[in-house]
Amino acid sequence: MSTIDWSNLAFGYIKTDYNVRCYYRNGAWGELETSQREDISLHMAATCLHYGQEAFEGLKAFRGRDGKIRIFRLDENAKRMQSSCRGIMMAEVPEALFKQAVLKVVKLNEKFVPPYESGASLYIRPLIIGTSAQVGVKPAGEYLFLIFVTPVGPYFKGGFQTTPFVVTRDFDRAAALGTGTYKIGGNYAASLVPGDRAHKQGYSNVFYLDSKEKKYIDECGAANFFGIKNNTYITPKSSSVLPSITNKSLMVLAEELGLKVERREIPLEELDSFEEAGACGTAAVISPIERIDDPDKNKTYLFAKDGKPGPICQKLYDRLRAIQYGDEADTHNWITIVE
Ligand SMILES: *Cc1c(COP(=O)(O)O)cnc(C)c1O
Protein backbone atom coordinates (compact mmCIF):
# COMPACT_ATOMS: atom_id res chain seq x y z
CA MET A 1 0.00 0.00 0.00
CA SER A 2 2.57 2.55 1.12
CA THR A 3 4.36 1.74 -2.13
CA ILE A 4 1.79 3.48 -4.37
CA ASP A 5 3.27 6.62 -5.88
CA TRP A 6 -0.01 8.54 -6.15
CA SER A 7 1.06 11.28 -8.50
CA ASN A 8 2.74 8.92 -10.97
CA LEU A 9 -0.17 6.52 -11.38
CA ALA A 10 -1.15 5.64 -14.95
CA PHE A 11 -4.64 4.82 -16.20
CA GLY A 12 -4.15 1.12 -15.59
CA TYR A 13 -5.23 -1.71 -13.33
CA ILE A 14 -3.87 -1.82 -9.81
CA LYS A 15 -5.15 -4.49 -7.49
CA THR A 16 -7.25 -3.30 -4.57
CA ASP A 17 -8.61 -5.32 -1.65
CA TYR A 18 -12.23 -5.97 -2.63
CA ASN A 19 -14.80 -6.04 -5.40
CA VAL A 20 -18.56 -6.46 -5.07
CA ARG A 21 -20.78 -8.83 -7.02
CA CYS A 22 -24.43 -9.57 -7.45
CA TYR A 23 -26.06 -12.38 -9.43
CA TYR A 24 -29.32 -12.31 -11.33
CA ARG A 25 -30.97 -15.75 -11.36
CA ASN A 26 -34.55 -16.94 -11.78
CA GLY A 27 -35.72 -13.47 -12.62
CA ALA A 28 -34.35 -11.72 -9.52
CA TRP A 29 -31.21 -10.07 -8.19
CA GLY A 30 -29.59 -11.79 -5.20
CA GLU A 31 -27.67 -10.31 -2.28
CA LEU A 32 -24.70 -8.02 -2.86
CA GLU A 33 -21.55 -10.04 -2.15
CA THR A 34 -18.03 -8.94 -1.32
CA SER A 35 -15.12 -10.74 -2.95
CA GLN A 36 -11.34 -10.66 -2.71
CA ARG A 37 -10.90 -12.69 -5.89
CA GLU A 38 -9.81 -10.99 -9.07
CA ASP A 39 -11.14 -13.73 -11.32
CA ILE A 40 -14.63 -14.86 -12.22
CA SER A 41 -15.81 -18.31 -13.14
CA LEU A 42 -17.84 -18.50 -16.35
CA HIS A 43 -19.65 -21.06 -18.44
CA MET A 44 -17.84 -21.38 -21.78
CA ALA A 45 -21.12 -20.79 -23.62
CA ALA A 46 -21.94 -17.60 -21.65
CA THR A 47 -23.58 -14.97 -23.88
CA CYS A 48 -21.03 -12.31 -22.90
CA LEU A 49 -18.32 -14.36 -24.58
CA HIS A 50 -20.14 -15.11 -27.82
CA TYR A 51 -22.76 -12.48 -28.42
CA GLY A 52 -21.38 -9.45 -26.64
CA GLN A 53 -23.90 -9.24 -23.81
CA GLU A 54 -21.73 -6.89 -21.81
CA ALA A 55 -22.13 -3.32 -20.60
CA PHE A 56 -19.94 -1.24 -18.35
CA GLU A 57 -19.74 2.14 -16.66
CA GLY A 58 -16.94 4.43 -15.56
CA LEU A 59 -17.08 6.95 -12.74
CA LYS A 60 -14.72 8.35 -10.16
CA ALA A 61 -14.34 8.99 -6.43
CA PHE A 62 -12.28 11.98 -5.32
CA ARG A 63 -10.69 12.75 -1.96
CA GLY A 64 -11.21 16.36 -0.96
CA ARG A 65 -8.99 18.73 0.96
CA ASP A 66 -11.26 17.89 3.91
CA GLY A 67 -10.37 14.19 3.56
CA LYS A 68 -13.93 13.29 2.55
CA ILE A 69 -14.54 10.99 -0.42
CA ARG A 70 -16.90 12.34 -3.09
CA ILE A 71 -18.50 10.41 -5.93
CA PHE A 72 -19.68 12.34 -8.97
CA ARG A 73 -23.23 11.86 -10.36
CA LEU A 74 -23.54 8.15 -9.65
CA ASP A 75 -27.32 8.23 -10.21
CA GLU A 76 -26.61 9.19 -13.82
CA ASN A 77 -24.28 6.23 -14.27
CA ALA A 78 -26.94 3.98 -12.73
CA LYS A 79 -29.54 5.19 -15.23
CA ARG A 80 -27.17 4.92 -18.18
CA MET A 81 -26.28 1.35 -17.27
CA GLN A 82 -29.98 0.53 -17.20
CA SER A 83 -30.34 2.03 -20.65
CA SER A 84 -27.38 -0.07 -21.90
CA CYS A 85 -28.99 -3.19 -20.39
CA ARG A 86 -32.28 -2.50 -22.18
CA GLY A 87 -30.34 -1.85 -25.38
CA ILE A 88 -28.88 -5.36 -25.52
CA MET A 89 -31.60 -7.24 -23.61
CA MET A 90 -29.85 -7.76 -20.29
CA ALA A 91 -31.44 -7.70 -16.83
CA GLU A 92 -31.46 -4.10 -15.55
CA VAL A 93 -29.56 -3.31 -12.37
CA PRO A 94 -31.95 -1.41 -10.08
CA GLU A 95 -30.72 2.11 -9.28
CA ALA A 96 -30.71 1.40 -5.53
CA LEU A 97 -28.58 -1.73 -6.01
CA PHE A 98 -26.16 0.18 -8.25
CA LYS A 99 -25.75 2.94 -5.65
CA GLN A 100 -25.40 0.51 -2.78
CA ALA A 101 -22.74 -1.41 -4.71
CA VAL A 102 -20.74 1.71 -5.63
CA LEU A 103 -20.79 3.05 -2.07
CA LYS A 104 -19.85 -0.33 -0.64
CA VAL A 105 -16.91 -1.01 -2.96
CA VAL A 106 -15.50 2.50 -2.43
CA LYS A 107 -15.87 2.27 1.34
CA LEU A 108 -14.20 -1.17 1.41
CA ASN A 109 -11.27 0.19 -0.62
CA GLU A 110 -11.15 3.57 1.12
CA LYS A 111 -7.38 3.45 1.55
CA PHE A 112 -6.94 3.32 -2.23
CA VAL A 113 -8.62 6.70 -2.77
CA PRO A 114 -5.62 8.91 -3.57
CA PRO A 115 -4.85 11.97 -1.42
CA TYR A 116 -6.21 15.35 -2.50
CA GLU A 117 -2.83 16.85 -3.37
CA SER A 118 -1.97 14.10 -5.88
CA GLY A 119 -4.66 15.10 -8.39
CA ALA A 120 -5.34 11.36 -8.74
CA SER A 121 -8.67 9.63 -8.13
CA LEU A 122 -10.29 6.24 -7.66
CA TYR A 123 -11.75 4.91 -10.89
CA ILE A 124 -14.91 2.85 -10.41
CA ARG A 125 -15.72 0.24 -13.03
CA PRO A 126 -19.19 -1.37 -12.89
CA LEU A 127 -19.68 -4.29 -15.28
CA ILE A 128 -22.64 -6.47 -16.22
CA ILE A 129 -22.38 -9.63 -18.29
CA GLY A 130 -24.68 -12.37 -19.52
CA THR A 131 -23.42 -15.53 -17.81
CA SER A 132 -25.73 -18.38 -18.69
CA ALA A 133 -25.14 -20.74 -21.61
CA GLN A 134 -26.80 -20.06 -24.94
CA VAL A 135 -25.86 -21.39 -28.33
CA GLY A 136 -28.52 -19.75 -30.47
CA VAL A 137 -28.47 -15.96 -30.57
CA LYS A 138 -30.69 -15.19 -27.59
CA PRO A 139 -30.27 -13.19 -24.40
CA ALA A 140 -28.98 -15.00 -21.32
CA GLY A 141 -31.27 -15.87 -18.42
CA GLU A 142 -28.56 -15.14 -15.83
CA TYR A 143 -26.34 -12.11 -15.26
CA LEU A 144 -23.43 -11.03 -13.10
CA PHE A 145 -23.11 -7.41 -12.02
CA LEU A 146 -19.79 -6.55 -10.47
CA ILE A 147 -17.78 -3.48 -9.58
CA PHE A 148 -14.06 -3.17 -9.11
CA VAL A 149 -12.10 -0.02 -8.38
CA THR A 150 -8.56 1.01 -9.19
CA PRO A 151 -6.61 4.18 -8.37
CA VAL A 152 -5.76 6.22 -11.47
CA GLY A 153 -3.37 9.12 -11.92
CA PRO A 154 -4.16 12.63 -13.04
CA TYR A 155 -4.96 12.58 -16.78
CA PHE A 156 -2.76 15.57 -17.52
CA LYS A 157 0.63 14.79 -16.05
CA GLY A 158 2.26 17.92 -17.42
CA GLY A 159 -0.75 20.15 -16.67
CA PHE A 160 -3.94 20.81 -18.68
CA GLN A 161 -2.90 20.42 -22.35
CA THR A 162 -4.23 20.19 -25.90
CA THR A 163 -3.84 17.22 -28.27
CA PRO A 164 -4.45 16.63 -32.02
CA PHE A 165 -7.21 14.47 -33.57
CA VAL A 166 -7.65 13.04 -37.07
CA VAL A 167 -10.84 12.72 -39.10
CA THR A 168 -11.57 9.24 -40.45
CA ARG A 169 -14.03 8.25 -43.17
CA ASP A 170 -12.84 4.63 -43.34
CA PHE A 171 -14.33 3.61 -40.01
CA ASP A 172 -17.45 4.11 -37.94
CA ARG A 173 -17.50 3.65 -34.20
CA ALA A 174 -21.19 2.82 -34.28
CA ALA A 175 -23.98 2.72 -36.85
CA ALA A 176 -26.58 5.49 -37.11
CA LEU A 177 -29.27 3.20 -35.71
CA GLY A 178 -26.84 0.88 -33.96
CA THR A 179 -25.61 0.62 -30.39
CA GLY A 180 -23.59 3.84 -30.13
CA THR A 181 -25.76 5.24 -27.35
CA TYR A 182 -25.01 2.25 -25.11
CA LYS A 183 -21.81 1.79 -23.14
CA ILE A 184 -21.07 -1.71 -24.36
CA GLY A 185 -17.88 -3.55 -25.20
CA GLY A 186 -18.77 -4.10 -28.86
CA ASN A 187 -18.50 -0.41 -29.63
CA TYR A 188 -15.02 -0.39 -28.16
CA ALA A 189 -13.97 -3.45 -30.15
CA ALA A 190 -15.02 -1.56 -33.29
CA SER A 191 -12.86 1.40 -32.28
CA LEU A 192 -9.60 -0.48 -31.71
CA VAL A 193 -8.30 -0.59 -35.29
CA PRO A 194 -9.02 3.08 -36.15
CA GLY A 195 -7.74 4.13 -32.70
CA ASP A 196 -4.51 2.22 -33.18
CA ARG A 197 -3.98 3.76 -36.62
CA ALA A 198 -4.53 7.26 -35.26
CA HIS A 199 -2.10 6.66 -32.37
CA LYS A 200 0.56 5.38 -34.76
CA GLN A 201 0.14 8.55 -36.81
CA GLY A 202 0.75 10.65 -33.71
CA TYR A 203 -2.83 11.63 -32.91
CA SER A 204 -4.50 11.29 -29.55
CA ASN A 205 -7.51 9.68 -31.24
CA VAL A 206 -9.93 9.45 -34.15
CA PHE A 207 -12.48 12.11 -34.98
CA TYR A 208 -15.58 10.24 -36.14
CA LEU A 209 -18.19 11.58 -38.52
CA ASP A 210 -21.82 10.46 -38.59
CA SER A 211 -21.94 6.99 -40.08
CA LYS A 212 -24.75 7.63 -42.55
CA GLU A 213 -23.65 10.73 -44.47
CA LYS A 214 -20.12 11.42 -43.19
CA LYS A 215 -21.19 15.04 -42.94
CA TYR A 216 -21.65 15.76 -39.27
CA ILE A 217 -19.40 15.51 -36.23
CA ASP A 218 -20.03 12.46 -34.08
CA GLU A 219 -17.48 11.58 -31.36
CA CYS A 220 -13.77 12.04 -30.66
CA GLY A 221 -12.43 8.59 -29.83
CA ALA A 222 -14.39 7.49 -26.77
CA ALA A 223 -15.29 11.02 -25.76
CA ASN A 224 -18.00 13.52 -26.67
CA PHE A 225 -17.16 16.59 -28.73
CA PHE A 226 -17.97 20.20 -27.94
CA GLY A 227 -16.97 23.43 -29.63
CA ILE A 228 -17.10 27.05 -28.52
CA LYS A 229 -17.94 30.02 -30.71
CA ASN A 230 -19.76 33.33 -30.25
CA ASN A 231 -20.14 32.67 -26.55
CA THR A 232 -21.97 29.40 -27.34
CA TYR A 233 -21.25 25.81 -26.26
CA ILE A 234 -22.15 23.52 -29.15
CA THR A 235 -22.27 19.72 -28.99
CA PRO A 236 -23.54 17.14 -31.52
CA LYS A 237 -27.03 15.74 -31.51
CA SER A 238 -26.72 12.27 -33.00
CA SER A 239 -28.30 8.84 -32.68
CA SER A 240 -24.87 7.21 -32.32
CA VAL A 241 -23.21 9.38 -29.67
CA LEU A 242 -22.87 8.00 -26.14
CA PRO A 243 -24.67 10.37 -23.73
CA SER A 244 -21.68 11.60 -21.71
CA ILE A 245 -22.38 12.65 -18.12
CA THR A 246 -19.39 14.98 -18.28
CA ASN A 247 -20.87 16.69 -21.34
CA LYS A 248 -24.26 16.95 -19.64
CA SER A 249 -22.57 18.60 -16.65
CA LEU A 250 -20.46 20.95 -18.78
CA MET A 251 -23.63 22.16 -20.53
CA VAL A 252 -25.03 23.19 -17.15
CA LEU A 253 -21.78 24.90 -16.14
CA ALA A 254 -21.51 26.64 -19.53
CA GLU A 255 -24.95 28.16 -18.99
CA GLU A 256 -23.87 29.31 -15.55
CA LEU A 257 -20.87 30.99 -17.14
CA GLY A 258 -23.29 32.91 -19.36
CA LEU A 259 -22.83 30.86 -22.53
CA LYS A 260 -25.65 29.69 -24.75
CA VAL A 261 -25.86 25.94 -25.19
CA GLU A 262 -26.79 24.24 -28.44
CA ARG A 263 -27.21 20.51 -29.04
CA ARG A 264 -27.57 20.03 -32.78
CA GLU A 265 -26.04 18.56 -35.90
CA ILE A 266 -22.62 20.11 -36.54
CA PRO A 267 -21.36 19.95 -40.14
CA LEU A 268 -17.63 19.16 -40.23
CA GLU A 269 -16.84 22.41 -42.07
CA GLU A 270 -18.32 24.42 -39.22
CA LEU A 271 -15.14 23.58 -37.29
CA ASP A 272 -13.57 26.48 -39.21
CA SER A 273 -15.63 28.90 -37.15
CA PHE A 274 -14.99 27.39 -33.70
CA GLU A 275 -12.74 29.33 -31.37
CA GLU A 276 -12.16 26.37 -29.04
CA ALA A 277 -12.88 22.66 -29.16
CA GLY A 278 -12.67 19.84 -26.67
CA ALA A 279 -13.27 16.15 -26.08
CA CYS A 280 -15.00 15.37 -22.80
CA GLY A 281 -15.47 12.35 -20.58
CA THR A 282 -14.81 11.02 -17.09
CA ALA A 283 -11.14 10.17 -17.76
CA ALA A 284 -9.96 13.70 -18.59
CA VAL A 285 -13.05 15.86 -17.86
CA ILE A 286 -11.94 17.95 -20.85
CA SER A 287 -9.21 17.08 -23.28
CA PRO A 288 -8.84 20.33 -25.21
CA ILE A 289 -8.22 19.91 -28.92
CA GLU A 290 -5.14 21.47 -30.48
CA ARG A 291 -6.18 20.74 -34.07
CA ILE A 292 -8.20 18.34 -36.16
CA ASP A 293 -6.52 17.12 -39.35
CA ASP A 294 -8.62 15.93 -42.26
CA PRO A 295 -5.99 14.23 -44.49
CA ASP A 296 -8.58 13.17 -47.15
CA LYS A 297 -9.40 16.83 -47.78
CA ASN A 298 -5.90 18.12 -47.08
CA LYS A 299 -7.33 20.39 -44.41
CA THR A 300 -6.48 21.30 -40.82
CA TYR A 301 -8.79 22.92 -38.29
CA LEU A 302 -6.66 24.71 -35.72
CA PHE A 303 -7.92 25.69 -32.26
CA ALA A 304 -4.91 26.20 -30.04
CA LYS A 305 -1.28 27.10 -30.29
CA ASP A 306 1.60 25.98 -28.04
CA GLY A 307 -0.58 23.35 -26.34
CA LYS A 308 -2.48 26.02 -24.47
CA PRO A 309 -6.21 25.41 -23.95
CA GLY A 310 -8.66 28.24 -24.65
CA PRO A 311 -10.13 30.33 -21.83
CA ILE A 312 -13.62 28.73 -21.86
CA CYS A 313 -12.19 25.18 -21.82
CA GLN A 314 -9.99 26.22 -18.92
CA LYS A 315 -12.88 27.73 -16.97
CA LEU A 316 -15.18 24.76 -17.52
CA TYR A 317 -12.42 22.34 -16.57
CA ASP A 318 -11.48 24.23 -13.40
CA ARG A 319 -15.09 24.56 -12.33
CA LEU A 320 -16.01 20.90 -12.80
CA ARG A 321 -12.85 19.68 -11.06
CA ALA A 322 -13.50 22.08 -8.18
CA ILE A 323 -16.95 20.56 -7.67
CA GLN A 324 -15.61 17.01 -7.90
CA TYR A 325 -12.87 17.61 -5.33
CA GLY A 326 -15.16 19.62 -3.04
CA ASP A 327 -13.30 22.92 -3.49
CA GLU A 328 -16.51 24.57 -4.67
CA ALA A 329 -20.06 24.16 -3.43
CA ASP A 330 -22.09 21.35 -4.97
CA THR A 331 -25.08 23.49 -5.90
CA HIS A 332 -26.53 20.87 -8.31
CA ASN A 333 -26.51 17.88 -5.96
CA TRP A 334 -24.02 16.06 -8.15
CA ILE A 335 -21.93 14.73 -5.29
CA THR A 336 -22.49 11.75 -3.00
CA ILE A 337 -20.21 11.74 0.03
CA VAL A 338 -19.04 8.32 1.16
CA GLU A 339 -19.83 8.19 4.89
C1 LIG B 1 -17.98 6.70 -21.56
C2 LIG B 1 -17.99 7.36 -22.86
C3 LIG B 1 -18.02 8.75 -23.00
C4 LIG B 1 -17.93 9.70 -21.83
O1 LIG B 1 -18.97 9.58 -20.91
P1 LIG B 1 -18.80 10.17 -19.45
O2 LIG B 1 -20.07 9.80 -18.77
O3 LIG B 1 -18.64 11.62 -19.57
O4 LIG B 1 -17.60 9.52 -18.86
C5 LIG B 1 -18.11 9.29 -24.27
N1 LIG B 1 -18.14 8.52 -25.36
C6 LIG B 1 -18.09 7.17 -25.28
C7 LIG B 1 -18.12 6.37 -26.53
C8 LIG B 1 -18.01 6.55 -24.04
O5 LIG B 1 -17.96 5.23 -23.95
Side-chain angles (χ1 to χ4, degrees):
M1 249 327 284
S2 54
T3 62
I4 297 184
D5 178 2
W6 299 112
S7 45
N8 284 308
L9 284 170
F11 189 78
Y13 178 81
I14 290 175
K15 186 181 185 305
T16 59
D17 289 342
Y18 302 98
N19 56 83
V20 294
R21 305 173 179 208
C22 191
Y23 294 90
Y24 180 90
R25 293 183 184 119
N26 302 317
W29 288 101
E31 290 295 310
L32 189 63
E33 299 170 14
T34 300
S35 174
Q36 288 189 275
R37 298 188 63 98
E38 290 175 278
D39 58 354
I40 53 179
S41 171
L42 264 184
H43 193 289
M44 61 187 172
T47 62
C48 63
L49 299 176
H50 299 260
Y51 303 129
Q53 269 203 310
E54 181 273 346
F56 67 100
E57 273 302 326
L59 62 160
K60 282 178 172 177
F62 306 86
R63 194 182 292 281
R65 207 190 290 270
D66 55 8
K68 288 185 182 163
I69 300 169
R70 291 172 173 77
I71 304 176
F72 188 67
R73 305 199 78 172
L74 82 139
D75 51 326
E76 290 291 332
N77 293 91
K79 286 183 209 144
R80 190 169 66 188
M81 181 170 252
Q82 290 185 328
S83 160
S84 296
C85 288
R86 286 193 296 274
I88 56 170
M89 292 193 78
M90 299 197 288
E92 283 176 49
V93 177
E95 208 175 312
L97 171 60
F98 186 96
K99 283 190 187 174
Q100 182 200 355
V102 169
L103 290 172
K104 183 161 190 179
V105 73
V106 173
K107 185 73 190 167
L108 285 169
N109 294 293
E110 207 169 351
K111 67 182 191 203
F112 293 95
V113 184
Y116 172 78
E117 297 73 27
S118 65
S121 56
L122 187 74
Y123 185 70
I124 305 166
R125 170 50 64 88
L127 173 76
I128 177 169
I129 53 175
T131 51
S132 51
Q134 209 58 271
V135 177
V137 181
K138 276 193 294 244
E142 296 184 358
Y143 294 86
L144 165 61
F145 167 54
L146 74 77
I147 309 183
F148 68 80
V149 295
T150 193
V152 293
Y155 190 88
F156 298 102
K157 299 247 160 40
F160 193 43
Q161 260 184 359
T162 64
T163 57
F165 283 77
V166 63
V167 172
T168 180
R169 289 179 186 77
D170 314 345
F171 293 95
D172 295 313
R173 191 190 72 88
L177 300 176
T179 53
T181 55
Y182 309 125
K183 210 166 176 74
I184 61 176
N187 296 336
Y188 277 75
S191 75
L192 292 175
V193 169
D196 181 60
R197 189 175 71 173
H199 293 147
K200 284 184 175 142
Q201 293 170 342
Y203 295 100
S204 80
N205 218 321
V206 174
F207 201 78
Y208 291 105
L209 301 180
D210 80 277
S211 57
K212 197 170 169 188
E213 297 183 81
K214 297 279 183 291
K215 228 172 118 179
Y216 304 104
I217 295 167
D218 219 65
E219 285 208 73
C220 336
N224 277 188
F225 171 83
F226 70 89
I228 307 285
K229 72 169 182 189
N230 305 331
N231 205 38
T232 309
Y233 180 105
I234 307 169
T235 192
K237 185 176 176 139
S238 153
S239 59
S240 50
V241 164
L242 194 281
S244 155
I245 297 161
T246 311
N247 196 4
K248 188 172 180 176
S249 309
L250 292 174
M251 286 189 249
V252 173
L253 299 180
E255 276 189 336
E256 282 180 359
L257 289 176
L259 278 82
K260 285 199 289 282
V261 172
E262 291 176 7
R263 222 181 122 244
R264 60 167 169 83
E265 288 180 329
I266 309 172
L268 177 63
E269 296 71 33
E270 190 178 343
L271 286 178
D272 259 336
S273 62
F274 284 116
E275 297 144 19
E276 299 180 36
C280 62
T282 294
V285 176
I286 293 174
S287 183
I289 301 176
E290 179 205 331
R291 62 172 209 276
I292 299 165
D293 288 345
D294 184 354
D296 301 339
K297 306 270 151 111
N298 212 354
K299 171 114 187 119
T300 289
Y301 302 94
L302 187 67
F303 305 103
K305 295 210 180 81
D306 315 321
K308 205 175 153 2
I312 308 279
C313 281
Q314 184 76 53
K315 268 190 208 154
L316 288 170
Y317 176 78
D318 290 344
R319 183 107 174 77
L320 191 55
R321 297 254 306 171
I323 295 171
Q324 291 176 330
Y325 281 92
D327 291 334
E328 274 186 38
D330 171 32
T331 53
H332 304 286
N333 264 317
W334 286 345
I335 301 294
T336 305
I337 292 183
V338 181
E339 304 289 356

